[in-house]
Amino acid sequence: MTKGLPANFSPELVALKNSALDTAVHRIDRSHRTPATKPKMAQRIVRTASEGVTDLHVLMIAAVEEGRVPAA
């Protein structure tokens, strides 16, 4: 089993990640907005934030990149 990502995010960073996700979802093509795509995008934001990224724009761009290919 793989180990999960750490969940030691401050409340401010959690709010920032949520904002990045909400913005990113509206920037992908409607046809890519499947029920599984938003969680896939959220996972990308968490991975990126786990690497130390805290810039809203960078987190949003990472999520948009992930959402360009819809999840099954």
Side-chain angles (χ1 to χ4, degrees), residues 23-35 37-38 41 63-71:
T23 301
V25 167
H26 288 89
R27 293 190 179 196
I28 63 170
D29 191 271
R30 279 192 181 274
S31 65
H32 293 186
R33 296 181 197 172
T34 67
T37 299
K38 188 173 181 179
M41 294 167 72
V64 168
E65 286 177 6
E66 195 68 30
R68 288 189 179 165
V69 177

Side-chain angles (χ1 to χ4, degrees), residues 16-71:
L16 184 79
K17 293 186 310 176
N18 288 338
S19 179
L21 180 59
D22 290 342
T23 301
V25 167
H26 288 89
R27 293 190 179 196
I28 63 170
D29 191 271
R30 279 192 181 274
S31 65
H32 293 186
R33 296 181 197 172
T34 67
T37 299
K38 188 173 181 179
K40 178 181 155 189
M41 294 167 72
Q43 287 176 343
R44 176 73 179 269
I45 289 173
V46 170
R47 283 194 314 269
T48 304
S50 293
E51 294 168 357
V53 176
T54 59
D55 182 271
L56 174 66
H57 185 71
V58 174
L59 294 172
M60 187 268 305
I61 292 298
V64 168
E65 286 177 6
E66 195 68 30
R68 288 189 179 165
V69 177

